Amino acid sequence: MSSETPSQKPRVAVVFGGRSSEHAISVVTAGAVLAAIDREKYDVLPIGITTDGRWALTADAPERMAITDRKLPSVAELSESAEGTVVLPVDPTSREVVYSEPGMVPKVLGEVDVVFPVLHGPYGEDGTLQGLLELSGVPYVGSGVLASAVGQDKDYMKRVFASFGLPVGPYEVIRPREWEQDPAAARKKIVDFAGEHGWPLFVKPARAGSSMGISKVDDLSGLDEALAEARRHDPKIIVESLLSGREIECGVLEFEDGPRASVPAEIPPVSAHDFYDFEAKYIDSAAGLVPAPLTDEQTARVQELAVAAFEAASCEGLVRADFFLQENGEFVINEINTLPGFTPISMYPRMWQESGVSYPELIDRLVQAALRRSTDLR
């Protein structure tokens, strides 16, 4: 345990922020986790990652991590020093965290028993941080390297789901080399896809979340602008046809006896937005219906599919699975999130709250699942 903390409570490092475009939402998520985690049961060490990748010791101040007057928070505002750096061990025989500043003797912050990564998007949710923690031999909340990478890349996610027989909608992928070698052919590939499946289309970064960089394109005139916006977030693009139907979400949580599904939720149409975009999710706080008004048979089916998706991608800890319920009564899986939104208004905690698992208990179950898990191959 920590050389400075005589308590035998497990020490949880909450790691947040990061280099992705979802930096601010990660800070908001961390604030919610820090405010709710049981301080009688766990010691907590907040570690923020700035937008340029510096690991910083931050204030344990959840009240400073919320969206206030539409202003998004950042790790830089919470950092205790503009130059100080936190270093996690890469030696699996030691879990000591060290803090250093230029011109000062490094300070040992003590050992960490488990890491709770609340980073969204690339460089945090995509298997990169998970790989570092695997090398370090430190238990962590959530999915491992493979599942995190699959859950981040919508292209390979859909390939995995299809290989397991899960229902996915039509899509097309444009890889970076295709843009570099022949932009006209890459664009024609999308136009041909629209000719086969019809307009509108959704143009998305293949490896981003929180609806960042997504555009709904109604016709050819809006395509180039949508492509530029998506490529601003990721050089790899995925294009999906419009799946008309109801948007249904379902949470999956790892219990002692395996993964279980929550009651599902429904995202109703948002009149002020073309779709459930970033502003609708986090700024305007669009209200989801929890539980979703489904029949017992529909509820059972979407819960079955959510757990199947969790297992197909070899997930651990938690997942939010997103579906479309089509007019023919069939569900199509859109995507999974291996680190879903965890803010106070996010659907994942709300679904579990309605399922009888409170927010603090949800955090506790995730930490305990991480502590139970082997740090060897599993």
Side-chain angles (χ1 to χ4, degrees):
M1 288 298 158
S2 168
S3 58
E4 299 179 353
T5 308
S7 168
Q8 295 301 302
K9 294 183 291 187
R11 197 169 198 214
V12 181
V14 178
V15 180
F16 63 98
R19 294 163 53 193
S20 83
S21 55
E22 298 171 79
H23 176 97
I25 295 308
S26 175
V27 177
V28 175
T29 298
V33 171
L34 289 171
I37 194 168
D38 186 351
R39 303 300 178 113
E40 296 294 320
K41 189 170 183 177
Y42 302 108
D43 286 325
V44 181
L45 177 66
I47 300 174
I49 302 176
T50 63
T51 53
D52 60 2
R54 178 174 64 91
W55 289 51
L57 191 62
T58 66
D60 188 355
E63 69 281 358
R64 294 171 54 194
M65 300 181 180
I67 299 174
T68 306
D69 296 327
R70 304 178 78 87
K71 183 179 182 297
L72 301 174
S74 72
V75 168
E77 297 168 345
L78 298 159
S79 177
E80 295 191 354
S81 164
E83 296 182 299
T85 301
V86 174
V87 179
L88 287 182
V90 291
D91 178 356
T93 64
S94 171
R95 292 181 182 175
E96 286 194 335
V97 176
V98 176
Y99 177 72
S100 62
E101 290 194 51
M104 295 180 63
V105 177
K107 177 183 178 183
V108 176
L109 298 178
E111 292 188 352
V112 165
D113 296 293
V114 61
V115 170
F116 197 140
V118 291
L119 294 105
H120 301 293
Y123 315 112
E125 190 183 352
D126 60 349
T128 50
L129 176 62
Q130 290 73 17
L132 171 64
L133 297 172
E134 293 281 350
L135 287 174
S136 303
V138 179
Y140 57 93
V141 169
S143 289
V145 176
L146 174 66
S148 297
V150 168
Q152 187 64 39
D153 190 316
K154 295 178 177 63
D155 173 17
Y156 287 97
M157 181 197 306
K158 291 177 185 292
R159 292 173 184 268
V160 167
F161 290 159
S163 73
F164 276 82
L166 296 173
V168 299
Y171 70 97
E172 185 63 86
V173 175
I174 310 294
R175 292 173 172 77
R177 192 173 290 114
E178 294 180 76
W179 291 114
E180 295 162 7
Q181 293 179 344
D182 194 340
R187 187 177 186 278
K188 183 178 184 299
K189 192 174 175 182
I190 299 172
V191 173
D192 290 346
F193 177 82
E196 180 179 356
H197 297 285
W199 301 91
L201 302 177
F202 284 94
V203 178
K204 305 179 177 181
R207 297 164 292 190
S210 293
S211 298
M212 290 286 191
I214 298 178
S215 302
K216 180 182 178 185
V217 183
D218 293 316
D219 54 44
L220 199 59
S221 65
L223 181 59
D224 290 334
E225 183 180 351
L227 291 172
E229 172 61 15
R231 295 191 69 214
R232 193 167 66 83
H233 296 268
D234 187 350
K236 183 178 180 181
I237 304 302
I238 187 166
V239 179
E240 299 171 350
S241 62
L242 174 68
L243 292 174
S244 57
R246 298 161 61 188
E247 292 190 50
I248 306 296
E249 298 183 348
C250 190
V252 180
L253 177 63
E254 182 181 341
F255 285 74
E256 289 83 356
D257 60 351
R260 301 182 197 171
S262 70
V263 300
E266 180 169 5
I267 307 301
V270 186
S271 58
H273 303 265
D274 267 349
F275 60 96
Y276 195 45
D277 62 7
F278 177 88
E279 292 242 335
K281 285 180 178 177
Y282 298 110
I283 305 297
D284 295 340
S285 304
L289 304 175
V290 187
L294 300 172
T295 67
D296 291 345
E297 291 76 12
Q298 290 171 330
T299 295
R301 176 57 176 162
V302 77
Q303 289 174 327
E304 176 190 13
L305 288 171
V307 172
F310 183 97
E311 298 283 33
S314 298
C315 296
E316 296 169 286
L318 72 164
V319 149
R320 192 194 73 229
D322 300 347
F323 300 86
F324 289 101
L325 175 55
Q326 300 181 103
E327 293 178 359
N328 63 4
E330 297 296 321
F331 284 98
V332 173
I333 187 165
N334 183 35
E335 64 179 23
I336 57 170
N337 279 268
T338 56
L339 186 68
F342 224 88
T343 67
I345 64 169
S346 296
M347 298 308 298
Y348 185 84
R350 288 182 59 196
M351 287 187 287
W352 279 109
Q353 176 77 41
E354 189 68 25
S355 304
V357 181
S358 69
Y359 193 81
E361 183 186 349
L362 185 58
I363 293 169
D364 181 56
R365 284 193 172 276
L366 290 169
V367 172
Q368 289 299 317
L371 288 169
R372 287 195 305 270
R373 202 173 299 144
S374 170
T375 55
D376 295 324
L377 287 175
R378 53 190 184 274

